[in-house]
Amino acid sequence: MGDAAGIGPEIAVKALSNKDVYESCIPVVIGDRIPLEEALEYAHSDLKLREIKAPEEAAGEFGTIDFINLNLLKKGDWTYKTVCKSSGEASFQYILKGIELAMKRRSHGVVTGPINKEAINLAGHHYSGHTEIFAEYTGSNTYGMLLASKKLRVIHVTTHVSMRNACDMIREHPEKVEHAIYLAKDAMEQLGIEQPRIAVAGLNAHSSENGLFGDEEEKSIIPAIEKCQKEGILAEGPVPPDTVFVKAMAGQYDVVVAMYHDQGHIPLKLSGFQMDYEKKCYTAMSGVNSTIGLPIIRTSVDHGTAFGKAGEGRANEESLVEAIAVAVQMADKRFPLAE
């Protein structure tokens, strides 16, 4: 469900107002009754809530939201638009419950709503985001963040670290670039793309112009690409970062390996998000975040808790609907006999 102080409960009920979701899967919300009831009210939804104890009890009937109530939040325990220790703790526990059910194969995947990193840290859980939580609690050492809009797919070598640390990690650990290429191949295969075409972005301007602007390409990125190519992976690069995303959106590549967080996030959000400045709202929020390399399926919205509009009924659920669709697509590939 995400952080109750943000838009997580609202986009959950709005996403489950979409009949197509129920035609592709049996959705179950992990969260709390009170935030969901309030979200139904301010979103002006006539959907009903049905509390269950386990995923196996879900009816999967459009018009009724099956939900597992962790009963962690009562009325007044949190404040919309505010970083709250209580809602941060609750959102962390929702994640752990989702991981537990998926690891036990009682669900085919987990789709996460937005959490507030400050809130979960305030609650004593020191993680930089969902990705790191999932990696630790599934015992995963090699994993990556895949972002996808309708026009572009990007996987990252480094994510939630400073720019200085990102540069140092790439310079000192070329195997991280190699791992990201493997994960890009794995991710595309999960999406049904055989022999994906992978572009690997450079780190420096113009991919260093043969060493004029840095040597990370020569020392780390090129060796990783060449090693993967010898294994039959269709990886190319380092492609200059100022043109690689244009080429990918034109269809030359299936996925781009980005070196650091903003190198990949900025073009992805430019390709999928649209904002109406006068109305102060997003008119489109296409984008899905998937963690690749886990023993379970995990997808997520590609946006934050949006405190500025929390509790107002004007949040956009598009990214969550897409995240559910991608999780279903991956589950169909991983569990072909799933019913």
Side-chain angles (χ1 to χ4, degrees):
M1 189 186 77
D3 193 312
I7 63 170
E10 179 185 347
I11 61 173
V13 302
K14 284 183 173 179
L16 297 183
S17 299
N18 187 326
K19 193 173 183 179
D20 290 345
V21 170
Y22 287 81
E23 292 176 353
S24 65
C25 67
I26 300 174
V28 176
V29 177
I30 299 172
D32 271 291
R33 176 179 288 276
I34 301 301
L36 288 172
E37 287 181 339
E38 292 190 4
L40 288 170
E41 183 177 348
Y42 59 72
H44 306 292
S45 173
D46 58 1
L47 297 179
K48 308 299 181 186
L49 292 177
R50 178 174 177 265
E51 186 171 335
I52 61 177
K53 297 297 183 183
E56 296 85 357
E57 300 174 15
E61 297 174 349
F62 177 65
T64 300
I65 298 175
D66 294 308
F67 78 105
I68 296 174
N69 183 13
L70 295 197
N71 202 28
L72 298 173
L73 296 174
K74 304 294 188 294
K75 196 174 281 288
D77 282 352
W78 80 97
T79 303
Y80 291 113
K81 309 177 186 296
T82 305
V83 173
C84 300
K85 179 180 178 180
S86 57
S87 61
E89 173 65 28
S91 67
F92 185 78
Q93 296 303 325
Y94 306 152
I95 296 167
L96 297 194
K97 185 65 174 179
I99 292 172
E100 174 197 340
L101 293 173
M103 290 291 284
K104 291 180 178 179
R105 292 294 185 261
R106 296 175 70 186
S107 71
H108 293 108
V110 185
V111 181
T112 54
I115 59 172
N116 183 280
K117 298 176 181 64
E118 186 179 351
I120 64 168
N121 276 269
L122 189 63
H125 307 292
H126 302 297
Y127 297 90
S128 55
H130 271 116
T131 303
E132 293 75 18
I133 299 171
F134 272 82
E136 178 168 330
Y137 281 86
T138 60
S140 303
N141 295 317
T142 303
Y143 56 90
M145 178 190 295
L146 172 75
L147 301 180
S149 69
K150 292 183 175 69
K151 302 177 181 178
L152 181 64
R153 302 183 190 94
V154 181
I155 199 162
H156 296 71
V157 176
T158 67
T159 51
H160 298 127
V161 297
S162 71
M163 274 299 303
R164 167 53 54 211
N165 285 343
C167 294
D168 290 344
M169 289 168 68
I170 291 165
R171 171 185 284 272
E172 297 168 10
H173 299 283
E175 72 275 7
K176 289 186 176 294
V177 180
E178 183 183 337
H179 290 158
I181 297 171
Y182 290 140
L183 289 170
K185 179 178 183 290
D186 178 32
M188 294 305 98
E189 289 175 346
Q190 288 190 53
L191 293 174
I193 301 172
E194 297 182 6
Q195 294 206 318
R197 300 159 301 165
I198 302 167
V200 182
L203 173 67
N204 297 296
H206 303 286
S207 291
S208 84
E209 202 78 71
N210 293 320
L212 287 177
F213 312 130
D215 58 6
E216 288 82 4
E217 282 77 11
E218 180 183 357
K219 290 188 173 181
S220 296
I221 300 174
I222 292 174
I225 294 171
E226 291 177 343
K227 184 174 181 180
C228 291
Q229 287 173 337
K230 289 177 182 178
E231 297 182 20
I233 298 175
L234 303 181
E236 295 182 14
V239 184
D242 59 350
T243 59
V244 65
F245 300 103
V246 176
K247 292 177 179 179
M249 289 176 67
Q252 186 171 341
Y253 303 110
D254 296 304
V255 62
V256 177
V257 175
M259 292 297 116
Y260 56 90
H261 184 281
D262 283 12
Q263 187 185 63
H265 277 65
I266 290 172
L268 193 288
K269 292 190 176 182
L270 277 171
S271 75
F273 285 27
Q274 293 180 8
M275 183 178 183
D276 187 323
Y277 175 72
E278 292 183 356
K279 294 181 179 179
K280 300 293 191 294
C281 68
Y282 286 97
T283 57
M285 295 188 74
S286 174
V288 177
N289 180 340
S290 305
T291 307
I292 307 302
L294 303 179
I296 63 175
I297 292 168
R298 179 259 166 168
T299 68
S300 178
V301 295
D302 186 28
H303 58 73
T305 48
F307 279 172
K309 62 181 70 173
E312 298 180 10
R314 58 189 183 94
N316 187 316
E317 75 278 15
E318 180 181 358
S319 182
L320 182 56
V321 172
E322 290 184 356
I324 294 170
V326 171
V328 170
Q329 185 178 6
M330 289 181 168
D332 284 341
K333 187 75 173 177
R334 190 177 294 192
F335 307 104
L337 299 179
E339 296 181 355

